[in-house]
Amino acid sequence: MEFEHVTFDLPHGTFHALQGGDPDGQPTVVLHGFPDHPPTAKPFLAELARQGRHVIAPWLRGYAPSPTAGPFDFASLTGDVLALIDRWSPGRAVELVGHDWGALITYDAVVTAPERIERAVTLAVPHPVTFLSRPRLAQLRRIWYMGLFQLPGSGWVASARDLAFIDRLWRQWSPGLSLDPALQAELHEDLRASMPAPIKYYRAMMRPGMIGATRRLSHPIEVPLLQLYGADDGCFLPPKVDDRHRFAAPHAMEVVPGVGHFLHIEAPEAIAERIAAWAK
């Protein structure tokens, strides 16, 4: 399955994306997370396309070759995605699939513009308000890097020794995944051109704009939503609290055995099939 590199002139600048699949199929937008970009997920994108979807996967704000200038608050990040949806699929609601930071943007998008999203899937990250309300000690230990990213010079730490810190996070978060060397080299190239913008997402979480995002995210989600987690995820644990009250539409949560944080990269066919079965 071939994917073409396309661009969109949006209010914040020219955004780049991979696009493929059936132009008449279900429009599906796939959002990557940290520290990642669309090419690593090509097998997953191809599986979604084989199921009859029209798929687009943008490089998010802060990730070259899309604009690397901020701000990086939730409203801005979500605004980029909604602007892309309006340009790419103006007459039809989309299926929105988000991983890691892409999942956080997905949670915000479905409460901000539910009429533009037919259904949504989040990968690896719980509902933000659920996560913030009762964080577990075991979970806090796994996200130590967020504290590091608040410090001056953390961009240098992330980039030093050919992004050794980034490679370490990938190994910790998905212990069973060995990223193809060519894909890793391509990811390194984009991240070197992006730093320190990707870690500024975490700094924006500590600023006043997060209060407004939390208020939005406190509203029940009125879009059907599937949450998938990897059983071997070294970054995020599935929530143990009952948060069904946050979902006012059909909702399901599954823990997928044998995969870690980058579950859609480790098992692209299995994750795409789970999404397809739920969508039916």
Side-chain angles (χ1 to χ4, degrees):
M1 177 72 66
E2 291 295 323
F3 278 78
E4 61 176 333
H5 191 130
V6 297
T7 60
F8 295 87
D9 290 328
L10 304 180
H12 192 64
T14 300
F15 281 74
H16 293 243
L18 296 179
Q19 177 180 265
D22 181 2
D24 296 322
Q26 167 68 55
T28 298
V29 180
V30 180
L31 308 177
H32 69 84
F34 171 87
D36 201 5
H37 69 169
T40 58
K42 278 184 180 178
F44 174 65
L45 304 178
E47 290 295 334
L48 293 175
R50 287 190 188 99
Q51 295 169 356
R53 293 175 170 87
H54 191 207
V55 180
I56 192 165
W59 277 259
L60 297 175
R61 179 187 299 210
Y63 289 81
S66 287
T68 56
F72 298 103
D73 58 282
F74 266 107
S76 298
L77 300 173
T78 301
D80 292 338
V81 172
L82 295 177
L84 174 65
I85 291 172
D86 288 342
R87 284 289 306 278
W88 185 65
S89 183
R92 185 175 177 185
V94 305
E95 177 183 62
L96 186 58
V97 181
H99 173 253
D100 190 83
W101 263 100
L104 293 172
I105 296 169
T106 297
Y107 287 119
D108 194 34
V110 294
V111 295
T112 302
E115 71 282 357
R116 300 297 295 116
I117 302 164
E118 183 174 339
R119 56 179 175 264
V121 180
T122 59
L123 304 175
V125 177
H127 190 289
V129 180
T130 299
F131 172 77
L132 292 170
S133 61
R134 295 180 63 181
R136 288 181 278 167
L137 181 59
Q139 176 61 78
L140 293 175
R141 287 172 177 163
R142 292 173 183 236
I143 57 171
W144 57 271
Y145 63 94
M146 294 187 186
L148 172 66
F149 288 162
Q150 308 304 316
L151 302 177
S154 54
W156 178 87
V157 172
S159 303
R161 294 183 295 120
D162 193 26
L163 298 163
F165 180 85
I166 298 298
D167 292 340
R168 174 187 172 189
L169 292 181
W170 274 75
R171 289 192 301 270
Q172 289 181 343
W173 294 355
S174 274
L177 172 63
S178 180
L179 195 61
D180 178 89
L183 289 176
Q184 185 182 44
E186 188 177 7
L187 174 62
H188 278 198
E189 181 180 356
D190 276 0
L191 289 178
R192 278 193 295 267
S194 306
M195 288 295 181
I199 68 175
K200 291 183 178 179
Y201 279 48
Y202 298 95
R203 297 174 185 174
M205 293 174 66
M206 303 298 154
R207 295 185 176 174
M210 187 61 183
I211 297 174
T214 303
R215 287 174 180 160
R216 286 195 306 277
L217 290 161
S218 297
H219 292 102
I221 292 174
E222 298 180 351
V223 171
L225 191 143
L226 170 67
Q227 296 173 299
L228 295 177
Y229 301 91
D232 302 329
D233 192 327
C235 182
F236 278 97
L237 295 167
K240 287 193 173 181
V241 298
D242 184 353
D243 66 350
R244 286 176 292 178
H245 63 285
R246 305 201 184 281
F247 304 92
H251 164 253
M253 190 269 278
E254 296 182 40
V255 178
V256 184
V259 292
H261 187 67
F262 298 95
L263 61 167
H264 61 305
I265 297 173
E266 296 178 68
E269 184 176 356
I271 300 305
E273 287 178 353
R274 270 177 159 80
I275 292 172
W278 171 77
K280 290 178 181 178

